[in-house]
């Protein structure tokens, strides 16, 4: 029973990229800090139509991207990739607040703003997918 629970915990930890001190030699680990990253992608499909939930879901995507950015910053040969991800993330952060609280003089509709954020999320996903291999 105990070994089954340990296997489940390890499986969940690997999938979610949790901190696992003492597991430095596991596949997917960075070999030193104990952080395990799953080789997965950002899921930008099927986001909520509700502006608040949408912002929350985008926030979760950006948090995942931030984790990869942190790892990339530690790799001198991945600085350009990290900067690209950071720039796209910052652009999304500037636009996402406008979806449910557009300024009075905004020239874009809420739908156009959402489409703009969605296009930036697509770019972030492409950059993320390319960067995952570099972060290892």
């Amino acid at each position: 029973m105990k070994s089954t629970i340990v296997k489940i915990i390890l499986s969940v930890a690997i999938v979610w990229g949790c901190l696992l001190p003492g597991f430095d030699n596991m596949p997917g680990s960075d070999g030193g800090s104990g952080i395990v990253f799953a080789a997965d992608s950002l899921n930008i499909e099927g986001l909520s139509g509700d502006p608040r939930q949408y912002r929350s879901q985008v926030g979760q995507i950006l948090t995942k991207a931030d984790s990869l950015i942190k790892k990339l910053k530690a790799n001198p040969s991945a600085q350009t990739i990290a900067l690209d991800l950071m720039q796209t993330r910052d652009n999304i952060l500037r636009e996402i607040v406008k979806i449910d609280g557009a300024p009075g003089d905004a020239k874009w509709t809420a739908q156009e703003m959402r489409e703009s954020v969605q296009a930036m999320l697509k770019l972030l996903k492409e950059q993320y997918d390319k960067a995952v291999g570099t972060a290892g």
Side-chain angles (χ1 to χ4, degrees):
M1 174 76 171
K2 186 176 180 180
S3 67
T4 303
I5 293 172
V6 170
K7 288 179 185 176
I8 292 170
I9 291 171
L10 287 175
S11 297
V12 170
I14 289 170
V15 170
W16 290 100
C18 294
L19 296 176
L20 293 174
F23 290 91
D24 296 340
N25 296 323
M26 290 181 65
S29 78
D30 65 355
S33 69
I35 299 175
V36 178
F37 288 89
D40 60 343
S41 181
L42 298 177
N43 183 8
I44 62 169
E45 301 301 321
L47 299 177
S48 176
D50 177 65
R52 286 190 178 176
Q53 285 184 333
Y54 183 77
R55 284 180 65 180
S56 175
Q57 291 169 329
V58 169
Q60 292 170 1
I61 291 168
L62 296 179
T63 298
K64 190 172 180 180
D66 282 338
S67 295
L68 181 60
I69 290 168
K70 184 176 180 181
K71 186 167 183 177
L72 289 168
K73 283 181 169 181
N75 181 351
S77 65
Q79 296 299 310
T80 304
I81 297 168
L83 290 173
D84 286 344
L85 281 166
M86 290 167 55
Q87 183 176 14
T88 304
R89 176 205 58 200
D90 292 348
N91 289 341
I92 292 169
L93 287 170
R94 276 191 290 279
E95 291 297 316
I96 193 71
V97 295
K98 298 176 188 175
I99 288 179
D100 62 347
D105 60 346
K107 295 179 180 165
W108 286 19
T109 65
Q111 182 61 32
E112 289 171 325
M113 288 182 199
R114 183 180 170 116
E115 289 169 0
S116 174
V117 170
Q118 196 65 31
M120 286 185 267
L121 284 172
K122 185 178 179 182
L123 174 61
L124 183 71
K125 180 185 180 336
E126 291 170 5
Q127 292 170 332
Y128 184 94
D129 291 346
K130 288 179 185 177
V132 165
T134 306

